[in-house]
Amino acid sequence: MITTFEQHVSCDQARFPDATGEFTWLVSGITLATKMIESQVRRAGLTGLLGSFGAVNVQGEIQQKLDVYANEALIHCLSLRESIGIIASEENERVITLRHDSPNAKYAIVFDPLDGSSNIDVAVTIGTTFAIFRRPDARAADPLDWVLQPGRQQVAAGYVVYGSSTVLVYSAGRGVHAFTLDPQIGSYLLTHENLRIPEQGKYYSINESYCDRWPETYVSYLRRLKSGELGRRYSSRFIGSMVADFHRTLLRGGVFIYPPNTDYPEGRLRLLYEANPVAFLAEQAGGSSSDGTRSILDVQPTDIHQRTPLIVGGAIEMAEFERCVREG
Ligand code: P6P
């Protein structure tokens, strides 16, 4: 018996008496756009979509052609969902106001259209991350108020990882579920229901080339993970695409860490559309997250592109991190 992503969301929404199906229609914009992105990712080398677009985005990073395509696909598909009032994208400096004053516009969506762009041309796994917020209770005059909400306010969040298979991982606050794209029928089919992050894994995931520029807490944390004092010697995995590194952490356990360093004193990853979605999923799956002082989900954003340190993983690895923070 197969369950498509749309069936899953529709059944989930049916639990709410006033559900109108508009949320199901909203998330179908994500599945459609990511299927369009997936088809281009798989053929990029054949269709001239590899390489740089020749422009620099708001992050100061050289845009890849697939970055631009992915962003345009998501904006196009989501703009057709009248329940979305505001969009914030990693590729756009400012929020995109679709229908800010419409009574039907109840949601805002933030996304990184293609995370891990440096891996595109070498055929390494990349991904799309997203989070959905309800418009603030008050009639939010400022579009920014729709998206500058703490991660704990996310109505739903997830990512699509374009790897050896294409997997949509999603939560609407009732567990984490994964749907694998069946390219023969063009549907995301439920393959992992109620995913739980293992209490302890065997991998830590960090770019160790920055180790001479980390705060001491992270140096001692890595030393503990490597020492075997947590009952096992950890191995290292770092793909350079947060989505891929987090997906392995979610399925196999362990911890993903992007500390602050002298190059990125606030951390490198973006709070709104990278850290918050994975922090939400990790917590829904029995793990947790931190920015070094508190849960990622408790951070009040002040800018749509603000960066943050990110530590996210299973119960044992995160408890050990908190111990290292307490001991200073
Ligand atoms: P570094 C990709 O550009 C990204 O935003 C994340 O997906 C990834 O974890 C990180 O940057 C890699 O950064 O500094 O290790 O190359």
Side-chain angles (χ1 to χ4, degrees):
M1 194 266 286
I2 63 170
T3 301
T4 67
F5 176 66
E6 286 76 8
Q7 281 173 273
H8 171 86
V9 174
S10 181
C11 293
D12 200 41
Q13 291 299 305
R15 297 153 42 101
F16 301 95
D18 62 346
T20 61
E22 64 187 9
F23 195 78
T24 306
W25 171 237
L26 185 164
V27 294
S28 73
I30 295 168
T31 50
L32 175 59
T34 56
K35 284 187 271 191
M36 293 164 64
I37 295 166
E38 193 270 349
S39 72
Q40 295 302 327
V41 165
R42 300 291 173 220
R43 294 183 296 128
L46 303 168
T47 57
L49 266 180
L50 290 180
S52 72
F53 179 71
V56 175
N57 68 10
V58 63
Q59 318 292 340
E61 295 165 347
I62 296 175
Q63 281 184 312
Q64 302 299 301
K65 291 175 188 169
L66 270 175
D67 281 324
V68 176
Y69 175 84
N71 195 41
E72 290 172 355
L74 279 157
I75 292 171
H76 168 75
C77 293
L78 292 168
S79 301
L80 300 173
R81 270 72 187 167
E82 56 282 350
S83 60
I84 299 177
I86 304 290
I87 287 177
S89 167
E90 189 246 9
E91 295 293 338
N92 293 70
E93 183 173 1
R94 295 182 175 78
V95 295
I96 299 166
T97 300
L98 295 176
R99 42 188 76 82
H100 172 217
D101 51 3
S102 158
N104 298 326
K106 299 175 184 168
Y107 300 101
I109 187 161
V110 304
F111 54 75
D112 181 355
L114 214 52
D115 171 62
S117 304
S118 60
N119 281 324
I120 293 175
D121 285 5
V122 294
V124 170
T125 299
I126 49 185
T128 298
T129 57
F130 63 90
I132 301 169
F133 293 96
R134 201 171 277 105
R135 74 181 296 163
D137 290 341
R139 186 168 180 70
D142 185 344
L144 282 174
D145 292 343
W146 292 50
V147 292
L148 294 182
Q149 301 185 49
R152 222 167 275 290
Q153 299 302 314
Q154 292 173 112
V155 175
Y159 59 81
V160 174
V161 57
Y162 310 102
S164 53
S165 57
T166 297
V167 184
L168 166 64
V169 179
Y170 171 86
S171 176
R174 286 173 294 284
V176 177
H177 313 286
F179 304 81
T180 302
L181 181 65
D182 179 341
Q184 290 180 347
I185 61 175
S187 290
Y188 284 104
L189 304 183
L190 181 63
T191 46
H192 303 70
E193 195 165 12
N194 284 318
L195 267 171
R196 304 295 290 172
I197 190 167
E199 196 178 24
Q200 184 173 18
K202 56 184 179 181
Y203 298 124
Y204 66 81
S205 186
I206 191 169
N207 183 341
E208 293 197 66
S209 69
Y210 294 110
C211 64
D212 59 334
R213 288 168 268 174
W214 295 334
E216 182 52 34
T217 298
Y218 297 88
V219 175
S220 59
Y221 181 50
L222 257 289
R223 191 182 309 121
R224 290 273 300 165
L225 291 177
K226 292 178 176 181
S227 68
E229 291 170 48
L230 267 69
R232 63 181 52 167
R233 288 183 65 82
Y234 283 76
S235 184
S236 170
R237 291 285 187 279
F238 190 75
I239 298 170
S241 289
M242 179 209 64
V243 175
D245 282 315
F246 176 76
H247 190 62
R248 181 200 56 251
T249 304
L250 178 65
L251 294 180
R252 294 286 181 270
V255 60
F256 173 82
I257 316 152
Y258 204 108
N261 61 51
T262 47
D263 295 358
Y264 297 101
E266 300 303 316
R268 173 170 178 167
L269 302 180
R270 291 80 165 188
L271 172 64
L272 227 57
Y273 37 76
E274 290 180 325
N276 265 339
V278 298
F280 183 76
L281 294 170
E283 193 162 297
Q284 282 290 316
S288 64
S289 69
S290 174
D291 69 352
T293 56
R294 85 214 90 169
S295 165
I296 290 283
L297 299 178
D298 293 330
V299 177
Q300 172 56 55
T302 54
D303 178 89
I304 61 173
H305 299 301
Q306 78 184 64
R307 299 176 187 267
T308 178
L310 172 64
I311 307 89
V312 60
I316 288 180
E317 289 86 3
M318 292 306 293
E320 180 57 27
F321 178 74
E322 298 304 334
R323 196 179 75 82
C324 288
V325 170
R326 284 193 304 276
E327 292 180 358

